[in-house]
Amino acid sequence: MIRYLIRRLLWAVVLFVAITIITYIIFFMIPTDPARKACGQLVTPACVKSARHYLGLDRPVYIQYYKFLERLVVHQSLGRSFANRQNINSIIGRAAPITASLVFGGAVTWLLLAIPIGILSALRPRTLLDRSAMVFVLVGISAHPVWIGLIFSWFFGYKLGITPIAGYCEAFSPPQGAACGGVVQWFYHMILPWITFAILFAALYVRMIRANVMETLNEDYVRTARAKGAPESRVMFKHVLRNAMLPVVTMLGMDIALGLGGAVFTESVYSLHGLGQTLVQSLSGDDLPTTQGIVVFGTLAIIVFNLIVDLLYAFIDPRIRLT
Amino acid sequence: MSQTETAPMTTDGRRGDELLVVEDLQKHFPVTRGVIFQKQIAAVKAVDGVSFTVRQGETLGVVGESGCGKSTMARCVMRLLEPTGGRIVFEGRDITKLSRTDMRPLRREMMMVFQDPYASLNPRKRVGFIVAEALEVHKLGTEAETKRRVQELLEVVGLSPEHYNRFPHEFSGGQRQRIGVARALAVNPKLIVCDEPVSALDVSVQAQILNLLKDLQRDFGLTYVFIAHDLNVVRHISDRVMVMYLGHAVEIATRQQLYSDPKHPYTGALLSAVPIPDPRAGRERQPIVLEGDVPSPINPPNACWFHPRCPRFREGHCDVETPPLRPFGDGHFAACHYPLERWPMTADEMRTVREPAAAS
């Protein structure tokens, strides 16, 4: 177990270095000059020169990369934004909870939708219920989250007025002068984003869960359990679900990580200033430190999730030994 | 001793110690076609009118080639499949139409050992759980009692009680089948239906499992329905044997009768194909080779189901009139118009048929 963890962590370091190097290299391939932007309207050679020196852009790429690593490891700091000199740690500190609310709440929502629908579809294949679920799946996969988000926001927020149209509320310690705050308001503001975000994944998961459950139902050991006289609910929970959910857990870890990036569409529709929106802004502003900071944060999140999933895997499937 | 007591077609005049009576059991699987609206265009007649009785404490062997409906028959008897027609009477109680809920208490009286010892054990559960589950489901005993019972059972089937916390994949095929047997024994059932319990195992392990089953029968007074396609295995374990062909029972007899004096040409062909563990005798023997394949159970032949492959086929009789199961004395029944006069027989002898002695 300990050896396994150490090996995993070493791999994580390799992955981390590879990803950050790639981000750096790509950034320096892009033919723009952040120093020019920093000078804004007053682009004079002197300003650009001093800005370049100030931002550290006058040194070779590998020195910059080394400085970045040193800052990160020694000071646990991601540096300051090129655009507005804000501390990137605090930019991410503000944006991450919003994205995390969206992604985790969304994951709970899509599981709540997909597990019952998937199981019922598998138990009653080719019935009206199964076919309706199929239609939901098709719509969910085809409809873009931006479109779904706008429709929801217009219908539930504007027409019916039962939800906010957009915006975010801090659940804990809302900033001074914020329009709203508190857990209830947070939940209320997140309902539409969660559903919007969850629909695509819910659709994919319905199909996956349906297929897995149907396959497991045909296993011989399920027949064995029935022959023992186990009631159908027991057969389902003790024998079918544990086996059918294994691939779902694997996918869940990957999809939550994926969702951190995919959240940008939902974030933009509901004007949630999460990581996705911040990343898009920093990219268009040639703000390397912010981009890099978000990439680093995302990479860490993905590494941590995959580790959690692997540990969960061993818990669900006793045949897997962590060595 | 009368003719009717084991007559498969009658329900009256039983000896009274029948544990299981199956009458005219049918299982048809629909074949459907259609894009949106499915309509049934045919039926696979997997089991089509099988009748037999199993007495308390005996072993009924069931043989036949693959696809002849043996397993389907077993699953219908266990009510793991819904029979299309017929009656299943267990301990004098008609269980054919019982609902799932009503069936549940009866499941502790009849257990099944499955063919595939790999797939039939849940890979994510410990052996202790697998064996104990039936006890738990039927609420027999406290947790500590259950555990003690399971460890006892593991010893009975020749495993060690320390195997309690292992997972199925840590065992060999033979050990897994022992787990399957322990599982079936857990609730002290009266009837155990063994669906090819040894066909997935190699020969040395087969013998161990067969002897285990025999010992358990002696010690616990079990009744078996034992399905196999290996005639030697069936001969070893059975008191009576039923031969199935294409969803029908074609011959039922005691072990001695069936192996020394078969009546149905299909049984004869099966017996002549049994390997003899003596190369010289094996080379001299002429097996009776059946021509063609087993016909499709979707569209079975008219009248006698065996007539397209039968060496004793007589046109105008076998393909016109369905042979009933006729008694040959001492509970021996066979469904043939031209039963074998003696045994053993060569292929040529089999082809020459005497005129039926005053047939119906």
Side-chain angles (χ1 to χ4, degrees):
Chain A
M1 182 73 190
I2 297 292
R3 280 178 53 133
Y4 175 81
L5 267 179
I6 291 171
R7 205 169 60 216
R8 282 302 301 255
L9 287 175
L10 284 176
W11 268 112
V13 171
V14 173
L15 184 66
F16 174 79
V17 170
I19 289 179
T20 45
I21 287 181
I22 290 169
T23 327
Y24 252 85
I25 292 172
I26 289 177
F27 211 85
F28 283 91
M29 297 289 195
I30 303 172
T32 55
D33 191 348
R36 251 167 212 284
K37 281 223 168 142
C39 289
Q41 300 285 314
L42 316 154
V43 183
T44 60
C47 172
V48 170
K49 192 160 182 279
S50 70
R52 198 168 279 164
H53 179 72
Y54 184 63
L55 296 174
L57 290 170
D58 51 354
R59 299 207 234 156
V61 180
Y62 57 87
I63 300 283
Q64 290 187 44
Y65 181 69
Y66 171 74
K67 286 269 173 208
F68 155 78
L69 276 187
E70 187 191 30
R71 229 182 2 248
L72 186 67
V73 176
V74 180
H75 308 286
Q76 285 85 44
S77 163
L78 288 163
R80 289 178 178 279
S81 160
F82 281 173
N84 52 20
R85 303 309 299 153
Q86 275 193 48
N87 188 330
I88 292 166
N89 287 21
S90 65
I91 294 181
I92 290 177
R94 270 197 309 277
I98 300 179
T99 302
S101 310
L102 180 62
V103 172
F104 288 111
V108 170
T109 312
W110 89 56
L111 288 178
L112 285 180
L113 281 171
I115 291 176
I117 298 177
I119 291 174
L120 286 175
S121 285
L123 289 178
R124 309 257 179 282
R126 289 174 291 282
T127 55
L128 186 64
L129 185 136
D130 185 30
R131 308 248 190 229
S132 321
M134 198 45 198
V135 172
F136 164 74
V137 167
L138 273 178
V139 172
I141 293 175
S142 336
H144 196 276
V146 169
W147 179 80
I148 295 177
L150 287 172
I151 295 287
F152 276 7
S153 171
W154 172 79
F155 187 72
F156 294 107
Y158 176 72
K159 268 293 203 193
L160 296 180
I162 51 173
T163 61
I165 293 168
Y168 180 74
C169 275
E170 290 288 349
F172 310 104
S173 61
Q176 290 285 303
C180 58
V183 176
V184 176
Q185 281 292 319
W186 167 80
F187 189 86
Y188 181 51
H189 278 78
M190 288 308 287
I191 292 174
L192 280 191
W194 281 338
I195 295 174
T196 308
F197 181 68
I199 280 179
L200 171 66
F201 288 105
L204 295 171
Y205 275 59
V206 164
R207 289 313 281 177
M208 188 165 72
I209 291 171
R210 177 182 184 270
N212 285 337
V213 171
M214 282 179 84
E215 201 184 305
T216 315
L217 278 172
N218 282 327
E219 294 283 353
D220 284 3
Y221 55 77
V222 172
R223 195 182 58 204
T224 308
R226 292 212 175 108
K228 285 176 187 170
E232 211 47 25
S233 58
R234 186 188 166 101
V235 172
M236 203 63 208
F237 286 107
K238 292 247 169 180
H239 294 274
V240 176
L241 283 187
R242 183 174 267 214
N243 286 289
M245 281 306 160
L246 204 59
V248 176
V249 171
T250 322
M251 288 305 290
L252 190 63
M254 303 259 227
D255 283 339
I256 285 180
L258 190 75
L260 289 172
V264 62
F265 298 119
T266 313
E267 282 178 5
S268 60
V269 173
Y270 294 103
S271 30
L272 306 170
H273 295 286
L275 290 175
Q277 270 209 329
T278 313
L279 182 65
V280 170
Q281 274 166 15
S282 71
L283 277 172
S284 57
D286 298 323
D287 189 353
L288 173 64
T290 311
T291 310
Q292 185 70 286
I294 292 172
V295 168
V296 167
F297 183 79
T299 311
L300 286 178
I302 288 170
I303 289 168
V304 169
F305 278 116
N306 275 326
L307 190 62
I308 292 175
V309 165
D310 283 354
L311 295 178
L312 269 182
Y313 225 86
F315 174 71
I316 293 182
D317 187 346
R319 287 179 305 181
I320 295 173
R321 291 277 154 77
L322 302 180
T323 46
Chain B
M1 169 155 266
S2 69
Q3 283 292 313
T4 47
E5 76 186 22
T6 48
M9 293 298 181
T10 55
T11 56
D12 308 310
R14 281 193 218 114
R15 208 155 67 176
D17 61 350
E18 284 87 356
L19 184 67
L20 178 73
V21 179
V22 174
E23 286 164 15
D24 196 27
L25 183 72
Q26 293 176 336
K27 176 67 193 177
H28 298 179
F29 295 101
V31 180
T32 57
R33 183 174 291 169
V35 180
I36 296 170
F37 297 103
Q38 311 261 309
K39 65 171 188 236
Q40 186 176 338
I41 53 163
V44 178
K45 293 172 182 160
V47 178
D48 200 18
V50 171
S51 305
F52 59 90
T53 57
V54 187
R55 295 195 208 104
Q56 198 89 49
E58 77 167 353
T59 302
L60 175 73
V62 180
V63 281
E65 26 191 338
S66 44
C68 72
K70 302 179 302 263
S71 292
T72 307
M73 184 273 290
R75 276 172 216 172
C76 286
V77 168
M78 290 292 296
R79 287 290 312 278
L80 292 171
L81 283 173
E82 289 304 309
T84 313
R87 246 159 58 95
I88 302 157
V89 181
F90 181 72
E91 288 194 291
R93 187 171 170 202
D94 188 343
I95 62 166
T96 327
K97 290 278 174 282
L98 288 185
S99 70
R100 267 190 180 175
T101 326
D102 292 334
M103 195 57 210
R104 211 164 287 139
L106 273 169
R107 295 229 177 260
R108 59 170 291 205
E109 310 287 337
M110 46 205 291
M111 276 286 160
M112 195 155 176
V113 177
F114 293 97
Q115 173 172 11
D116 186 342
Y118 292 88
S120 59
L121 305 176
N122 189 337
R124 317 241 196 275
K125 299 290 181 187
R126 290 174 200 281
V127 169
F129 177 92
I130 291 170
V131 178
E133 184 170 29
L135 292 166
E136 239 174 83
V137 165
H138 296 288
K139 303 201 171 55
L140 305 172
T142 62
E143 216 170 287
E145 281 167 12
T146 304
K147 183 164 182 183
R148 212 175 316 126
R149 169 101 179 114
V150 170
Q151 293 181 332
E152 212 179 277
L153 282 163
L154 290 177
E155 262 183 302
V156 167
V157 299
L159 295 170
S160 143
E162 287 98 71
H163 291 147
Y164 187 85
N165 271 327
R166 301 266 186 89
F167 287 98
H169 70 274
E170 298 172 54
F171 294 90
S172 70
Q175 286 177 313
R176 282 165 156 246
Q177 198 57 294
R178 286 167 191 271
I179 296 169
V181 173
R183 202 211 78 236
L185 278 178
V187 288
N188 281 327
K190 297 200 172 80
L191 174 72
I192 296 186
V193 177
C194 306
D195 184 3
E196 307 227 12
V198 295
S199 55
L201 308 173
D202 58 54
V203 181
S204 58
V205 183
Q206 281 190 0
Q208 291 173 14
I209 297 287
L210 290 176
N211 290 334
L212 170 66
L213 288 172
K214 274 193 139 177
D215 293 346
L216 294 173
Q217 181 167 43
R218 192 190 55 220
D219 297 347
F220 299 105
L222 295 168
T223 307
Y224 291 133
V225 172
F226 191 96
I227 296 171
H229 54 248
D230 184 334
L231 284 159
N232 283 332
V233 167
V234 169
R235 179 178 211 162
H236 184 72
I237 198 156
S238 311
D239 300 310
R240 290 193 304 135
V241 181
M242 174 163 86
V243 181
M244 283 183 74
Y245 184 77
L246 210 61
H248 299 269
V250 294
E251 185 158 4
I252 304 177
T254 63
R255 177 178 51 176
Q256 289 81 4
Q257 288 164 345
L258 191 97
Y259 284 86
S260 60
D261 187 22
K263 291 298 174 198
H264 200 281
Y266 179 62
T267 315
L270 285 182
L271 286 178
S272 80
V274 171
I276 304 173
D278 173 0
R280 211 168 304 143
R283 243 176 272 126
E284 280 162 15
R285 185 183 55 164
Q286 280 187 302
I288 298 158
V289 180
L290 295 177
E291 281 161 25
D293 292 320
V294 183
S296 157
I298 296 178
N299 187 17
N302 288 331
C304 178
W305 321 281
F306 187 54
H307 83 253
R309 301 173 74 194
C310 185
R312 295 167 83 80
F313 168 59
R314 284 289 169 275
E315 208 173 336
H317 190 191
C318 295
D319 52 354
V320 176
E321 193 189 331
T322 309
L325 268 178
R326 282 168 46 192
F328 289 87
D330 274 353
H332 189 163
F333 292 84
C336 185
H337 294 304
Y338 302 97
L340 307 180
E341 297 88 7
R342 60 180 188 287
W343 187 257
M345 241 182 187
T346 64
D348 290 335
E349 285 171 336
M350 203 184 227
R351 253 176 243 118
T352 50
V353 179
R354 253 188 289 144
E355 280 309 304
S360 51

